[in-house]
Amino acid sequence: AWGTWQRNEVWRSEETLWRDVTLKSPGNGRGFVNYGLSLLQRGDYTGALAQFHRAQPLVPEYSILYIDMGVADGALGHNEAAEKEFRQALSLNDDDSQSYFYYARWLSGSGRPREAIPLLETAIENNPADMQSRMLLLKLYSDAGMRDKLRRLTDDSLRIVPGDSAVLRYR
C-alpha cells in the first residue's frame, strides 16, 4: 500500500512524473527536457530554462530542446538568446516544420512579421498538413494585405480541411 501511494504521488501530474525521472535518471537528457516543458506549460520560464540547460550537455543535437529554450527565453524577454536558440533549432533540423513555426511565431510576436512569413512558407513546404503554420501565415498575409497569397493559401488550406471555419474567415 505504501509503495502504491508513493507511485501515485509520482504519477500525479506530468510535472511530478518528469521531476521524478530527473532525480532517478540524472543522465536522461530527454527527462530534463520534458520536465522543463512541463514547467514551461505552467509559466515557470526560469525553472524551465534551468532544466533545459541541464539537458543541453546530455542531448546537444536535440532540436526540440532549442525550440523550448527559445520559447522560454522569448517569454522572459531575452530576445537575443531566444533568436539564437531558434536559429540553433533550425540548424539542427531544417526540415522540421516546428522549428520554423516557433521561430516565426516569436518573430511575429516581436514585431517582425515580415521576417516570419518566409519561415512559415518553408514550414508548410516541409509539412503541408501543418495547420498551425498555415493559420499564422494566413493571419500575416491578411495583416500585410497580401491578397493573392492569402487567396492561394486559403484555397490550398481548404483542400486539406474542407469547410474549416477559421480558414473560411480569411476567404
Side-chain angles (χ1 to χ4, degrees):
W2 176 252
T4 300
W5 182 83
Q6 286 181 313
R7 186 57 33 205
N8 286 342
E9 280 300 302
V10 168
W11 284 84
R12 185 171 28 103
S13 68
E14 290 280 318
E15 184 177 332
T16 58
L17 171 66
W18 291 114
R19 182 179 182 280
D20 187 63
V21 168
T22 64
L23 295 173
K24 292 180 178 165
S25 301
N28 182 339
R30 297 273 177 103
F32 286 107
V33 171
N34 288 331
Y35 181 34
L37 186 56
S38 69
L39 295 173
L40 184 72
Q41 289 171 340
R42 74 169 170 86
D44 180 0
Y45 304 115
T46 303
L49 273 175
Q51 297 309 311
F52 297 150
H53 287 293
R54 290 180 72 188
Q56 199 170 10
L58 301 171
V59 287
E61 304 296 315
Y62 187 44
S63 65
I64 301 297
L65 168 62
Y66 295 94
I67 293 170
D68 294 340
M69 289 172 73
V71 170
D73 275 323
L76 290 169
H78 306 156
N79 293 335
E80 189 174 310
E83 187 152 15
K84 178 183 171 207
E85 303 303 347
F86 288 125
R87 288 181 184 267
Q88 180 67 19
L90 283 173
S91 76
L92 291 171
N93 192 357
D94 68 349
D95 51 339
D96 175 32
S97 67
Q98 286 185 8
S99 299
Y100 291 95
F101 169 75
Y102 283 101
Y103 186 18
R105 186 180 77 170
W106 175 79
L107 284 168
S108 177
S110 297
R112 297 163 58 188
R114 291 266 181 196
E115 294 174 62
I117 288 172
L119 293 172
L120 293 166
E121 291 169 342
T122 302
I124 293 167
E125 285 174 26
N126 290 349
N127 181 2
D130 180 353
M131 288 308 295
Q132 64 184 358
S133 292
R134 286 177 177 275
M135 294 309 298
L136 182 53
L137 188 55
L138 285 168
K139 178 189 180 322
L140 296 181
Y141 281 164
S142 178
D143 291 349
M146 302 170 93
R147 300 220 186 290
D148 289 339
K149 287 188 173 199
L150 179 64
R151 183 184 43 77
R152 282 193 299 273
L153 183 59
T154 302
D155 292 345
D156 187 49
S157 297
L158 288 171
R159 282 194 264 303
I160 296 169
V161 287
D164 184 274
S165 61
V167 175
L168 285 170
R169 280 194 297 270
Y170 287 102
R171 187 180 244 179

